Amino acid sequence: MLFYLIAAIVLILDQTTKWIVRTHMELGEILPSWSPHMRFEYYENSGAAFSSFQGYGKYFAIVAVVFVAAIFYYRRQGAIRGPLLEAASGFLVGGAVGNGIDRVIYHQVTDFLVFGSRGGIMNLADLAINAGGILILVYLLLDHFRPKTARGRL
């Protein structure tokens, strides 16, 4: 249940914030918000992370579908269990689906969050994917230091 709840919340928040940016900001517009730590800047990314592979974003929609299918497969097999992995996979799936929707509908991803003066531009789906990755690292570290009889129960 935690998996579905987090994935749904991430997806709804991501798509809502992207819609707000697309309808209330001009492309390239910058709104200072928590200067110098964060600002809103409307950007459309037709590539991947760090604006790499510009114009090939539609292929990353396929990667997102395969990734989400793999998560569901491993959940069904019982490999993803426990609240930490459920939360991590929920963040990962919500983020992948959020960006995947953009890639399928708009052939690019709406980005609008810039952290710091040299930070890359992101969106909530990207933040969720990062959160999911961090939770997996936390799980791996905690599991490594647990007694062998208790491993895999986080």
Side-chain angles (χ1 to χ4, degrees):
M1 184 67 166
L2 182 62
F3 165 79
Y4 293 106
L5 180 65
I6 290 174
I9 289 170
V10 166
L11 180 59
I12 291 167
L13 288 175
D14 175 65
Q15 289 299 298
T16 301
T17 55
K18 288 174 181 175
W19 175 80
I20 290 168
V21 168
R22 285 190 299 267
T23 58
H24 292 85
M25 291 180 72
E26 296 292 324
L27 192 60
E29 183 178 357
I30 298 172
L31 300 174
S33 56
W34 193 30
S35 292
H37 307 290
M38 185 184 89
R39 71 178 187 274
F40 296 107
E41 181 176 345
Y42 181 15
Y43 179 75
E44 293 291 346
N45 183 359
S46 66
F50 307 108
S51 297
S52 58
F53 303 105
Q54 287 298 309
Y56 293 96
K58 60 187 171 201
Y59 298 110
F60 291 103
I62 297 166
V63 172
V65 169
V66 171
F67 177 77
V68 170
I71 294 286
F72 277 99
Y73 172 80
Y74 285 110
R75 287 189 82 246
R76 185 173 172 95
Q77 296 298 315
I80 297 175
R81 62 180 188 272
L84 201 51
L85 284 182
E86 287 284 314
S89 60
F91 279 114
L92 291 169
V93 165
V97 171
N99 280 341
I101 288 171
D102 277 19
R103 292 183 193 289
V104 168
I105 295 174
Y106 305 107
H107 305 289
Q108 55 195 7
V109 174
T110 299
D111 288 328
F112 56 92
L113 295 170
V114 180
F115 296 98
S117 61
R118 294 188 175 140
I121 191 162
M122 314 172 87
N123 56 47
L124 293 185
D126 298 331
L127 293 177
I129 291 168
N130 287 324
I134 289 168
L135 288 176
I136 287 174
L137 289 175
V138 168
Y139 170 83
L140 292 171
L141 284 171
L142 291 174
D143 195 51
H144 177 75
F145 291 107
R146 288 180 100 54
K148 287 186 179 188
T149 57
R151 287 200 177 167
R153 296 186 191 166
L154 297 175

